[in-house]
Amino acid sequence: MRLQIKNKRPNFKIPLIFQIALNIALVLLGITLCVLLGKEILYFINISIFNQGIHNDYTLLESILIFFLYFEFIAMIVKYFLEDYHFPLRYFLYIGITALIRLVIVEHDNSFDTFLHACAILVLIISYSIMNTAKARRQNS
């Protein structure tokens, strides 16, 4: 009895289904982030016109940084679709740096935690500069 090995072609339907599910989820996430970004804009208008809802400068600064986090996530989703379903690494670094800066501003009671957050920001900035240096070398070659 002879074994017959069938020529197995990869099934391209499964990755396509996952890609469609991912795209739908990212569109829904983008819509949700746009709504939350709009709420932050209304909050800023409320603060500037009526001077209500702000207890101290840290609250305003925290709101501004949250606004930029929403903005960066939306920009990252847009770039995902513009760059043929690829997330650029630099956007993750931007978001990480912004989130850590927000942590330093909001939770600065413990000096050691603040130092660790500052070190993490430094590591992200060094990573970003290494990435840009490597990119510049590839373009010059």
Side-chain angles (χ1 to χ4, degrees):
M1 178 175 221
R2 190 172 176 200
L3 292 174
Q4 290 183 352
I5 300 175
K6 293 182 180 180
N7 185 9
K8 290 191 174 186
R9 292 183 340 178
N11 191 355
F12 291 110
K13 292 178 184 176
I14 294 174
L16 180 66
I17 291 170
F18 283 137
Q19 186 68 49
I20 291 170
L22 176 66
N23 290 347
I24 291 170
L26 282 174
V27 167
L28 293 175
L29 179 64
I31 291 169
T32 304
L33 289 173
C34 286
V35 168
L36 293 172
L37 186 68
K39 284 178 71 175
E40 285 296 319
I41 291 172
L42 291 176
Y43 177 72
F44 289 140
I45 291 171
N46 188 25
I47 288 173
S48 64
I49 293 175
F50 302 112
N51 202 14
Q52 296 176 351
I54 185 164
H55 302 291
N56 57 24
D57 293 335
Y58 292 117
T59 307
L60 178 63
L61 196 54
E62 180 183 3
S63 297
I64 291 170
L65 289 172
I66 288 172
F67 176 83
F68 279 113
L69 283 172
Y70 287 140
F71 187 77
E72 288 173 359
F73 275 115
I74 292 169
M76 188 171 67
I77 291 171
V78 169
K79 276 295 197 184
Y80 172 79
F81 288 111
L82 291 177
E83 293 192 11
D84 294 327
Y85 310 114
H86 171 72
F87 283 118
L89 180 62
R90 69 181 182 276
Y91 281 93
F92 288 111
L93 294 174
Y94 296 155
I95 290 171
I97 291 168
T98 306
L100 284 169
I101 289 172
R102 179 187 169 274
L103 272 175
V104 168
I105 290 170
V106 175
E107 299 176 12
H108 56 274
D109 298 334
N110 187 342
S111 61
F112 186 71
D113 287 345
T114 303
F115 175 72
L116 290 178
H117 293 139
C119 289
I121 292 169
L122 180 64
V123 167
L124 289 174
I125 290 172
I126 290 170
S127 301
Y128 182 74
S129 65
I130 290 172
M131 185 181 68
N132 278 344
T133 305
K135 185 177 176 181
R137 284 185 190 159
R138 279 183 297 195
Q139 289 177 351
N140 291 336
S141 297

